[in-house]
Amino acid sequence: MGQAMRFSLEQIQVFILVVETGSFSAAARRLGKTQSTVSSAIGNLEIDLGVSLFDRTSKIPTVTEAGRTLMAEAQAVLERCRSLEAHAASLADANPADLTLAIEIPYNTVMPVLIDFEREFPYVDLTIRNPVYGDVSDLVLKGEAELGIAFAQPDYPPELDFVQLGKLIMVHVTHPSHPLASLESVSFADLHAYRRLAFSAHANKLPTTEYLRAARTWQAESYLALMEMVGSGLGWATLPRQLIRNELDKGELVELQLTAYPHTDWLVGVDLVWRKSASRGRADRWLHQRLQQHMVFEVGRGGQRTTR
C-alpha cells in the first residue's frame, strides 16, 4: 500500500477558490469563513504537498509556477469527487447501475428519448440489444432486457404487457438493375417469381406477410446483411423505410409499386413491451414513461403522419 493521503478535499477546494477569486480574503468571503482559516488551510496544504503554492512576498499573494501547474490537477480531483458523489446519489436513488433495451426498429426513431435519458441519468449505463431473430419479446420475457421496442406481433405471452408507440412504413425494394425494378406496377405474382430476402424476425410474423411468400427465400438476422444482399441484386426485400431513406434518395435502391396497394403505405405498428411482474427503479420508470410519450412516426406519401 502507498502512503496515506495527508491533505483533505476541503483544502483542495480552498486552493482552487483562492486562485479563481484572486485573493485569500475574497475566497474567505465566498466560503463564509475567516481569512485566517483560509490562510491556514493553504499553509497546511503546502506543507502536505511539499511545495509553495503562493508567493507571499507581495501585499497580495500570487500563484507560484508550481501552484499554476497543480491547479489543473486540483480541478480534476474535485471534478472526480463531484462525479463520485453524483454517481453514489444516483445509486442511492434506487437507480440500477445499468439498463438493457432490446430494439428491433431503426434506431433513429428513438434516439431523442435516449439523448434525454443520458441527460437525466448520466450514471446509468445503457446496453442496446439487437436480438438475433429479432425476438424482442423473448429477451424481455427472460429478463435479459427491461424494455423492448419492436414491430408489433399478433400475440404476446401472457406475462408481457405492451403499448403501441406508433407506426412505421415498410417498403418493398430491390436494386435498380433487378428485373422487378423496370416494372411500373408489381403484382404479387411478379414478386413470387423472384427471390425474397427476408428479415428472420418478420419472415412469417408480420401481418399480411402471407402475400409476400416466395418460392425462393433467403433469410438474414440483421437489416445490415439484408441491405447488402439487396444492394448486390440478389432479390427483393421488405424493409423499414426509415432505415433506407438515403439509399432510396440516392437511387441505390428502388421502391417497388405494388398493384394491390397503389395509393397506400404499408404501415406496421411499433410496440413497447415489458414484463408485468418486473420491479422497476426510477430510471426504468422514467424511460418507460418517456418512451410512451414519444411518438414513433414518419410522413407517408400523402403527406400525413403515420401516427397522430
Side-chain angles (χ1 to χ4, degrees), residues 186-235:
V186 179
S187 68
F188 290 131
D190 292 328
L191 286 181
H192 295 166
Y194 295 95
R195 182 182 294 108
R196 177 186 175 210
L197 305 171
F199 184 47
S200 308
H202 304 156
N204 306 309
K205 280 184 186 169
L206 286 188
T208 72
T209 43
E210 61 271 17
Y211 302 132
L212 306 177
R213 297 277 152 77
R216 294 173 295 157
T217 302
W218 286 12
Q219 293 190 27
E221 292 174 1
S222 82
Y223 284 131
L224 205 57
L226 272 190
M227 287 165 69
E228 287 290 339
M229 285 152 72
V230 178
S232 300
L234 289 169

Side-chain angles (χ1 to χ4, degrees), residues 13-73:
Q13 285 176 297
V14 171
F15 167 50
I16 291 168
L17 207 53
V18 171
V19 176
E20 286 176 348
T21 57
S23 72
F24 284 34
S25 55
R29 280 196 299 277
R30 180 85 68 86
L31 288 166
K33 295 181 185 295
T34 62
Q35 189 171 332
S36 61
T37 307
V38 168
S39 187
S40 169
I42 295 294
N44 288 332
L45 182 60
E46 288 176 318
I47 292 165
D48 290 339
L49 293 175
V51 292
S52 292
L53 301 171
F54 293 93
D55 179 358
R56 294 171 178 75
T57 52
S58 57
K59 192 179 173 195
I60 297 174
T62 53
V63 191
T64 61
E65 191 61 44
R68 255 196 301 277
T69 306
L70 292 176
M71 174 69 174
E73 292 229 46

